[in-house]
Amino acid sequence: MVLISTLLITFALLFYSLGVWAERWKRYLKVWHVFSFWIGFTFDISGTFAMHFIGKGDFNILDLHTLTGQIALWLMLIHAIWATRVIRKNDIETRKKFHRYSLFVWLIWLIPYIGGMIMGMSNS
């Protein structure tokens, strides 16, 4: 289960980063960026769910890793929903500026990702 959860979270990093950085370089939100956000979010949810089974102890929202992970997941969800709405409305100005919010969410998401990686290495 450790390998599966690690792969799922790594795929989340890959797809989410691809969407965020491609959008940042183009400075324009495209449909495929939104698909990449949703795929990354789906992998992250799946990896988080898989990690729940290998974790020791009860779910504790006050645990720093759990708290930052929850914040990142909710931000990713809001980000993907908002990006979908921007594409559907075809708001050109918002599509040009959306990369700022995307980069912010990605940076927040890296906190639990790197924290989890450090925790995993220290427990090996």
Side-chain angles (χ1 to χ4, degrees), residues 85-101:
R85 293 192 69 196
V86 167
I87 289 291
R88 285 188 177 161
K89 288 183 178 184
N90 198 24
D91 182 342
I92 302 302
E93 285 306 309
T94 305
R95 288 175 78 168
K96 289 179 182 177
K97 297 176 183 174
F98 198 81
H99 63 90
R100 296 174 187 158
Y101 179 63

Side-chain angles (χ1 to χ4, degrees), residues 55-116:
K56 296 172 178 74
D58 294 330
F59 178 83
N60 180 4
I61 194 66
L62 298 178
D63 174 73
L64 184 61
H65 182 66
T66 303
L67 181 62
T68 58
Q70 286 294 310
I71 291 169
L73 282 172
W74 284 105
L75 281 173
M76 286 174 74
L77 176 61
I78 292 165
H79 175 246
I81 291 169
W82 188 15
T84 302
R85 293 192 69 196
V86 167
I87 289 291
R88 285 188 177 161
K89 288 183 178 184
N90 198 24
D91 182 342
I92 302 302
E93 285 306 309
T94 305
R95 288 175 78 168
K96 289 179 182 177
K97 297 176 183 174
F98 198 81
H99 63 90
R100 296 174 187 158
Y101 179 63
S102 297
L103 190 59
F104 170 77
V105 173
W106 182 79
L107 288 168
I108 296 298
W109 183 82
L110 282 179
I111 295 168
Y113 180 83
I114 293 169

Side-chain angles (χ1 to χ4, degrees), residues 27-82:
R27 299 202 188 268
Y28 188 77
L29 180 65
K30 295 184 175 189
V31 172
W32 78 265
H33 299 143
V34 177
F35 278 107
S36 189
F37 300 155
W38 280 111
I39 292 168
F41 175 71
T42 302
F43 275 121
D44 200 4
I45 287 289
S46 301
T48 301
F49 185 70
M51 285 183 190
H52 174 72
F53 292 107
I54 61 173
K56 296 172 178 74
D58 294 330
F59 178 83
N60 180 4
I61 194 66
L62 298 178
D63 174 73
L64 184 61
H65 182 66
T66 303
L67 181 62
T68 58
Q70 286 294 310
I71 291 169
L73 282 172
W74 284 105
L75 281 173
M76 286 174 74
L77 176 61
I78 292 165
H79 175 246
I81 291 169
W82 188 15

